[in-house]
Amino acid sequence: MKAPRVTLDQWRTLQAVVDHGGFAQAAEALHRSQSSVSYTVARMQDQLGVPLLRIDGRKAVLTEAGGVLLRRSRQLVKQASQLEDLAHHMEQGWEAEVRLVVDAAYPSARLVRALTAFMPQSRGCRVRLREEVLSGVEEVLLEGVADLAITGLSIPGYLGAELCDVEFIAVAHPEHSLHRLNRELSFQDLENQMQVVIRDSGRQQPRDVGWLGAEQRWTVGSLATAATFVSNGLGFAWLPRHMIERELKEGSLKLLPLDQGRSRNSNFYLYTNKEKPLGPATQILIELLRTFDTLPLDAPFAAPEQA
């Protein structure tokens, strides 16, 4: 890649001339001599081969090309300043990145709110979000490639902060043969039907949570795929209520009238990587995750303005 001929300092000088209304005013704002400012801009024009300013009376006015380049340069200078700020924050212990792994059953609306609130406080810290299912979350945390983990499973040797419960309900399409029985259902009724099960993304000890042992089982890779299958009449499944509210209202899914086990609650927990000290950005994100976890999903929320 060819090295740029024009420096960031030169772009800043041009911006000062335009923003402050002239060379003398820019020189005063930059604490430099007027001749130095004039030379810098003249040198830029020679290097670029494009006139940036023209003199209109006693005032320096942007040319058309100068206006285009100035607009692009503002973003360039801003990004360079943000990069320097990030380096300063990192030198003070501020993380460049927080790695968060979440079970796909956890309400994404809560994550959106927490991450939206985190943005104006992040100081350039990125969030790397990864979705897993069941024991996949635990494996990612134990492998050391996550700083925070949200899961409905208990992780041995870790103390988790308690989060919300997620309700799983047994559902099928309203025209499914189970609904046509027009009576309360038992587990024996389910054993002869096809169940849609979500595959555990863990590799070491995958679990068949919720599977009844029926031979007719379809295993899919995501909760969204399971909801699509079941709402189109392919089998039955236990799905998080918050993910299928629309399908329940529209009538493409209907709660199965089980005599027991028609719904079950899974307690979710927030875990931290105990092998790594918590940095300030991670601690802020933890507090935001816990704060927005307690709010109702339908509570009004306005995204904060970025600083």
Side-chain angles (χ1 to χ4, degrees):
M1 182 182 295
K2 185 171 68 173
R5 289 175 291 180
V6 179
T7 66
L8 290 171
D9 180 66
Q10 288 176 300
W11 286 119
R12 289 191 183 101
T13 302
L14 176 64
Q15 291 172 16
V17 171
V18 174
D19 294 344
H20 294 282
F23 290 95
Q25 297 90 329
E28 183 177 352
L30 295 172
H31 306 290
R32 293 166 56 180
S33 67
Q34 183 173 339
S35 60
S36 171
V37 172
S38 299
Y39 174 79
T40 298
V41 175
R43 177 68 176 155
M44 282 184 71
Q45 294 183 115
D46 290 341
Q47 289 171 313
L48 294 171
V50 176
L52 303 174
L53 297 170
R54 59 180 175 82
I55 304 301
D56 187 358
R58 293 187 175 183
K59 190 174 182 180
V61 179
L62 281 169
T63 64
E64 184 178 349
V68 173
L69 294 174
L70 180 68
R71 287 193 296 273
R72 296 289 296 273
S73 75
R74 291 191 188 279
Q75 188 64 25
L76 180 67
V77 171
K78 180 181 178 181
Q79 289 174 345
S81 178
Q82 291 173 340
L83 189 62
E84 292 171 1
D85 288 343
L86 178 58
H88 174 68
H89 297 319
M90 290 173 65
E91 193 254 337
Q92 294 182 319
W94 197 273
E95 308 94 300
E97 180 179 81
V98 176
R99 301 164 300 175
L100 172 63
V101 58
V102 181
D103 189 291
Y106 184 77
S108 58
R110 301 190 189 279
L111 287 177
V112 169
R113 293 181 174 198
L115 294 176
T116 300
F118 177 71
M119 284 180 62
Q121 304 181 56
S122 66
R123 301 187 188 181
C125 175
R126 299 176 301 175
V127 176
R128 187 183 296 273
L129 178 63
R130 177 170 173 176
E131 275 195 339
E132 296 287 341
V133 177
L134 296 172
S135 70
V137 177
E138 178 181 353
E139 285 187 12
V140 171
L141 182 65
L142 296 180
E143 288 169 0
V145 293
D147 304 305
L148 301 174
I150 295 177
T151 177
L153 299 179
S154 176
I155 301 181
Y158 284 76
L159 290 175
E162 189 170 350
L163 298 177
C164 66
D165 291 350
V166 173
E167 182 187 12
F168 288 77
I169 56 176
V171 291
H173 189 276
E175 299 300 320
H176 192 279
S177 58
L178 285 169
H179 284 300
R180 292 199 196 118
L181 295 175
N182 293 317
R183 59 172 172 79
E184 197 171 58
L185 304 175
S186 66
F187 278 138
Q188 286 70 36
D189 293 317
L190 300 183
E191 286 176 344
N192 296 319
Q193 300 290 331
M194 186 181 75
Q195 181 180 358
V196 178
V197 179
I198 295 83
R199 182 175 61 250
D200 188 332
S201 62
R203 302 181 304 276
Q204 304 300 323
Q205 294 181 321
R207 310 179 190 186
D208 286 320
V209 174
W211 180 45
L212 298 179
E215 286 300 321
Q216 299 184 67
R217 177 179 72 164
W218 282 12
T219 303
V220 297
S222 72
L223 289 161
T225 300
T228 299
F229 277 27
V230 178
S231 63
N232 281 278
L234 297 174
F236 72 94
W238 271 269
L239 297 171
R241 182 185 287 273
H242 69 85
M243 290 188 65
I244 56 173
E245 288 289 356
R246 186 181 66 180
E247 288 82 355
L248 291 170
K249 289 179 181 177
E250 293 176 350
S252 59
L253 286 177
K254 184 178 177 181
L255 183 67
L256 288 172
L258 295 172
D259 57 0
Q260 58 180 341
R262 69 179 64 184
S263 72
R264 61 173 183 266
N265 284 15
S266 178
N267 297 319
F268 273 69
Y269 300 89
L270 173 62
Y271 294 94
T272 62
N273 185 338
K274 64 181 182 181
E275 304 299 328
K276 179 182 176 182
L278 296 179
T282 305
Q283 294 182 53
I284 289 173
L285 183 55
I286 288 172
E287 289 306 311
L288 290 172
L289 287 168
R290 297 182 67 177
T291 296
F292 287 98
D293 178 80
T294 61
L295 297 178
L297 288 174
D298 57 354
F301 171 70
E305 294 183 4
Q306 292 199 39

